[in-house]
Amino acid sequence: MFCYSYARVSSRHQVDKHGITRQVKAARVWAERNGHELIEISDKGLSAYTGKHTQKGNLGKFIAAVGAGEIPAGSILIVEALDRLSRQDILTQLNQFINLLDNDIEIVTLSDGMHFTKKSVGDNWAELIISIAMMVKGNDESKLKGQRIKSARENSHNKADQGQHIITRQVPFWCEIKNNTVIENHHAAAVRRMFELSLEGKGAITIARKLNEESVPCYTGARKSKHNWNMQKVHRVLKNPATYGLFVPEGDYQEKENYYPQVISKTDFMTVQGLIEKRRKNKVKSASPNNLFSGVLKCQCGSHYSFGTSKTGRFEGSQRFLKCNRKTFGEKCENPRLWYFPFEKLMLSSVLELQYHKQAGTIDETIAMKAEIERLEQQNQNLVDLIIAGNGSELMAKKSKEIEEAISKIKWDIFTYRHKKSISPNLAYKQDEIVEIQDLKNADLRESVQNQILSVVEEVIVFPEHFKVNLSNGLTYEITPKEKNSSKLANKSLTSNKRLF
């Protein structure tokens, strides 16, 4: 008999407080006490009140597997309480509860020691009443909590309108809270410098480079960057109305001017927005995708690679190049810049071979699983025939049950494997097709190829002497050119694909 535990918390804040750990630990104790092997399922930061845990989470996958017959009948689902499964309206909760029982899934709730089965609920209607009461309680608690949060927010906004209160303790990096008042800190000087440079006509990349050259301190937060100022950070500040004091709340609340300290004037802010928009309109966008690997190409240092052009190049059309963003922003990185078209040709050839490996691996593994199921089913049928004919024994019956459980486990493995490995686009291009792809005049073809690549490739990490390719199906490959000279890395043909585990 299979035993599954489901743990869930609604917010990332609860994840940090070890809510998942508490629920899983209790489920492990129950499973061990009752002699069951446990398969753990969890959803972190997904609300059961809105139903996100069944729409986007692992519980939804589990329920789908139950409906598809991938979860063996008689399996046990352990939860801390019924509100872990859902806090939606009573009919939605009840439908989910009955659906699981109808598929012969037993539900154990640890908080009250209940063990619901299709038979127990059918024999004792009081159990159904108890479960409905628990569902109503969970829904009411979430509804009341939502109303209280809304009321508290409205109260905060009303007090803020009267200048008596701060709405949130989350403030921009150039601000801090002191004596219940939002004031600016030492980072405000960096903000002023950004706007000063922007008003001079400088773009975000140039501003980031200038700030790094001037050793202007960069803020640090929960997500620390491996480098200092960059284009994205500068752009976010230049577009943020909080720089001139405007607070933009979530929901239907009114915006509040002069909520934050005014680091720059509203006039300067609006002028900078006009300059940004003018640069955006003046920027000529290529009709054909320049970089087929846009967004997935990363340096070993953690930065992304950006696309650029040069007046000179050793190959026809190779004035286009890729360079680590750390170098773009004036910092050091040992990785070389890559001439784009030789790199693109190498990667198209490599991904071609990787795709063959991926498809072969998927087919072989699935066929092997299905073949094992057929073998076990035939073995089990032979035992059943002997038992029906009266020639079986208690040992045979026990063996038959073990085989059925083994079949159910393989079906579950196939289900989880499909979720993890399924990728459909076929990148089996011939060499003459690669020539067509590299022709920038074939804009539609390049756009189609780019979409296929981005659906298969999760990221490409550049090292001095090789590339590491992480595919969306979870597999990782290493691509090493013939000549391991970092300055010529992207100019040599592929010699090997080494699968990494």
Side-chain angles (χ1 to χ4, degrees):
M1 182 180 294
F2 286 92
C3 190
Y4 302 82
S5 70
Y6 176 68
R8 180 191 59 78
V9 290
S10 300
S11 67
R12 293 294 174 185
H13 177 67
Q14 291 173 302
V15 174
D16 295 338
K17 287 192 172 183
H18 309 293
I20 292 287
T21 304
R22 183 195 71 245
Q23 296 173 51
V24 171
K25 186 176 180 181
R28 287 173 181 170
V29 171
W30 190 94
E32 185 177 352
R33 186 189 304 134
N34 290 275
H36 298 302
E37 182 181 348
L38 190 65
I39 300 173
E40 297 170 0
I41 307 169
S42 65
D43 284 318
K44 300 176 182 179
L46 295 179
S47 171
Y49 184 59
T50 61
K52 286 184 179 179
H53 65 316
T54 54
Q55 298 165 11
K56 301 179 180 180
N58 290 319
L59 181 62
K61 294 178 182 178
F62 176 82
I63 292 174
V66 170
E70 303 287 355
I71 306 297
S75 294
I76 299 173
L77 177 61
I78 306 173
V79 290
E80 186 177 55
L82 285 179
D83 65 359
R84 296 302 87 195
L85 294 177
S86 181
R87 282 178 172 260
Q88 294 173 274
D89 63 87
I90 182 61
L91 291 179
T92 301
Q93 290 191 65
L94 189 59
N95 182 59
Q96 177 181 282
F97 179 77
I98 292 174
N99 178 59
L100 289 170
L101 295 183
D102 274 342
N103 282 280
D104 291 321
I105 303 299
E106 302 178 14
I107 301 174
V108 171
T109 53
L110 300 177
S111 61
D112 53 15
M114 296 294 292
H115 191 146
F116 300 98
T117 67
K118 185 177 181 179
K119 185 176 186 306
S120 70
V121 172
D123 292 345
N124 184 4
W125 58 266
E127 283 195 2
L128 184 60
I129 300 301
I130 292 171
S131 65
I132 292 174
M134 292 176 180
M135 295 172 192
V136 172
K137 180 183 177 184
N139 179 257
D140 286 346
E141 286 177 353
S142 291
K143 190 181 296 183
L144 180 60
K145 182 179 178 182
Q147 291 171 348
R148 286 175 176 173
I149 291 173
K150 183 179 179 181
S151 177
R153 284 179 177 171
E154 289 177 349
N155 188 42
S156 293
H157 279 269
N158 290 335
K159 287 184 177 181
D161 289 338
Q162 301 168 14
Q164 302 174 354
H165 189 68
I166 58 172
I167 296 173
T168 174
R169 303 196 74 81
Q170 294 181 343
V171 295
F173 70 86
W174 62 87
C175 297
E176 61 184 61
I177 298 173
K178 192 172 184 179
N179 298 326
N180 209 35
T181 304
V182 183
I183 61 173
E184 66 177 56
N185 59 29
H186 66 283
H187 286 299
V191 176
R192 293 190 180 94
R193 181 61 173 148
M194 288 183 208
F195 277 88
E196 178 185 333
L197 292 169
S198 182
L199 289 168
E200 292 175 2
K202 305 290 194 300
I205 293 178
T206 304
I207 293 172
R209 187 186 298 118
K210 191 71 174 175
L211 293 176
N212 289 330
E213 289 173 355
E214 295 174 357
S215 299
V216 176
C218 182
Y219 68 93
T220 56
R223 298 179 180 180
K224 295 183 178 180
S225 175
K226 289 189 177 181
H227 50 75
N228 294 320
W229 294 107
N230 59 34
M231 178 182 69
Q232 290 79 14
K233 289 181 179 179
V234 170
H235 191 72
R236 281 196 294 266
V237 174
L238 293 178
K239 297 289 289 184
N240 192 340
T243 52
Y244 73 87
L246 183 68
F247 175 73
V248 182
E250 295 179 358
D252 300 327
Y253 301 104
Q254 288 186 345
E255 297 178 349
K256 294 174 175 56
E257 293 198 7
N258 301 316
Y259 177 83
Y260 297 114
Q262 194 176 60
V263 178
I264 51 101
S265 69
K266 184 175 181 179
T267 301
D268 285 348
F269 179 82
M270 294 304 177
T271 302
V272 166
Q273 304 317 300
L275 292 171
I276 292 173
E277 180 64 15
K278 184 178 179 180
R279 277 193 293 269
R280 187 187 69 80
K281 289 182 178 179
N282 290 339
K283 187 176 181 181
V284 179
K285 185 176 181 180
S286 172
S288 178
N290 286 320
N291 181 9
L292 298 184
F293 296 85
S294 177
V296 299
L297 192 60
K298 297 181 181 178
C299 178
Q300 63 169 348
C301 72
S303 288
H304 281 268
Y305 262 72
S306 58
F307 188 86
T309 58
S310 173
K311 293 182 179 179
T312 59
R314 292 181 296 164
F315 304 95
E316 183 180 355
S318 68
Q319 290 84 353
R320 302 166 189 268
F321 65 87
L322 297 162
K323 183 170 69 171
C324 174
N325 279 344
R326 294 193 70 172
K327 290 185 175 181
T328 302
F329 301 123
E331 299 182 66
K332 293 182 179 180
C333 178
E334 64 181 45
N335 270 4
R337 76 176 179 179
L338 308 172
W339 295 112
Y340 179 72
F341 281 110
F343 164 79
E344 182 181 275
K345 183 177 181 180
L346 169 64
M347 292 306 298
L348 286 174
S349 302
S350 304
V351 173
L352 160 66
E353 295 190 29
L354 296 183
Q355 185 73 1
Y356 281 143
H357 281 286
K358 176 192 71 62
Q359 291 175 338
T362 302
I363 293 171
D364 288 343
E365 198 161 340
T366 303
I367 289 176
M369 290 179 181
K370 291 180 179 178
E372 179 65 9
I373 288 176
E374 291 180 5
R375 186 187 70 81
L376 290 173
E377 285 179 340
Q378 183 60 53
Q379 184 179 348
N380 190 45
Q381 187 59 51
N382 293 338
L383 289 173
V384 171
D385 290 343
L386 288 172
I387 293 170
I388 292 174
N391 298 322
S393 63
E394 185 177 339
L395 185 61
M396 285 185 178
K398 184 179 179 181
K399 180 64 177 177
S400 176
K401 187 175 180 180
E402 289 176 355
I403 291 174
E404 287 176 356
E405 290 182 352
I407 292 171
S408 296
K409 186 177 186 305
I410 295 173
K411 286 182 177 180
W412 173 252
D413 289 341
I414 291 175
F415 168 74
T416 55
Y417 182 82
R418 284 172 180 167
H419 273 279
K420 184 177 180 182
K421 307 292 184 183
S422 59
I423 297 176
S424 58
N426 180 14
L427 303 183
Y429 304 117
K430 299 177 181 177
Q431 290 302 317
D432 57 339
E433 290 176 326
I434 292 177
V435 173
E436 288 187 40
I437 292 169
Q438 292 204 285
D439 186 348
L440 292 178
K441 295 177 183 178
N442 297 327
D444 291 341
L445 176 60
R446 285 183 65 81
E447 184 175 359
S448 175
V449 171
Q450 183 185 50
N451 291 335
Q452 290 180 337
I453 288 173
L454 297 183
S455 67
V456 172
V457 178
E458 190 73 27
E459 62 180 5
V460 179
I461 304 175
V462 181
F463 292 86
E465 296 187 349
H466 69 278
F467 300 108
K468 182 179 178 182
V469 182
N470 295 324
L471 300 182
S472 300
N473 63 0
L475 300 182
T476 298
Y477 290 86
E478 184 181 275
I479 299 173
T480 306
K482 283 181 179 179
E483 187 172 337
K484 296 186 176 182
N485 184 327
S486 61
S487 64
K488 300 180 181 179
L489 177 62
N491 305 328
K492 298 298 176 181
S493 60
L494 177 71
T495 59
S496 64
N497 291 322
K498 181 182 178 182
R499 178 170 170 175
L500 305 177
F501 293 94

